[in-house]
Amino acid sequence: YSQVAKDREMSPEDKEAVRTGVLSARQTVDLFAAAADNNHPMSQYVYGIMFTRGIGVAQDGAEAVKWLGKAAAHNLAIAHYALGVIYRDGTTGLNEVTPDKALAARHFARAFALGYKPAGDALKLLEFEAPRNVE
């Protein structure tokens, strides 16, 4: 392939990104997806957060837990913390995650053990938190 042939194959979005040096939202999602698929822990964390909040992808609790779990398997403290938050609060959107205080505590404790100090505070608050839904 010559450079001219490669340029002709680029989408208008890709050409704009080359011209400006700025990725589109779709390109950003694709980049994180590819890096996460290639076992990059911080990209797995970011991709999981994207699914947690519905940023560039459909909000999906199961996908969030899947990607955050992969990052946590690399002992990424912030991923354990994010899983703790998901299990503490639950998620909305597709494949909702229901709160599970025991799993939240496990992930907060792991994040704290890995040096993420806010996880210690979250763990303490979890122990003294009043029930959210009293019927």
Side-chain angles (χ1 to χ4, degrees), residues 2-11 15 18:
S2 69
Q3 186 59 44
V4 172
K6 287 180 184 177
D7 286 346
R8 285 189 192 133
E9 292 174 12
M10 293 175 72
S11 70
K15 288 178 183 177
V18 169

Side-chain angles (χ1 to χ4, degrees), residues 13-14 16-18 20-32:
E13 184 179 53
D14 290 339
E16 181 67 8
V18 169
T20 63
V22 177
L23 296 177
S24 71
R26 177 83 262 141
Q27 290 168 321
T28 301
V29 170
D30 291 347
L31 180 65
F32 276 107

Side-chain angles (χ1 to χ4, degrees), residues 18-58:
V18 169
R19 189 182 71 71
T20 63
V22 177
L23 296 177
S24 71
R26 177 83 262 141
Q27 290 168 321
T28 301
V29 170
D30 291 347
L31 180 65
F32 276 107
D37 275 337
N38 282 310
N39 211 27
H40 184 261
M42 188 55 80
S43 296
Q44 292 169 333
Y45 164 75
V46 171
Y47 201 41
I49 294 299
M50 291 166 72
F51 279 106
T52 302
R53 297 187 180 156
I55 300 169
V57 295

Side-chain angles (χ1 to χ4, degrees), residues 52 79-91 104 107-108 122:
T52 302
H80 279 287
Y81 179 79
L83 284 166
V85 171
I86 285 175
Y87 286 120
R88 181 192 66 202
D89 300 341
T91 64
H107 284 289
F108 285 145

Side-chain angles (χ1 to χ4, degrees), residues 117-129:
K117 303 296 183 220
D121 295 333
L123 188 57
K124 287 177 192 169
L125 289 172
L126 185 66
E127 293 171 8
F128 297 106
E129 205 170 74

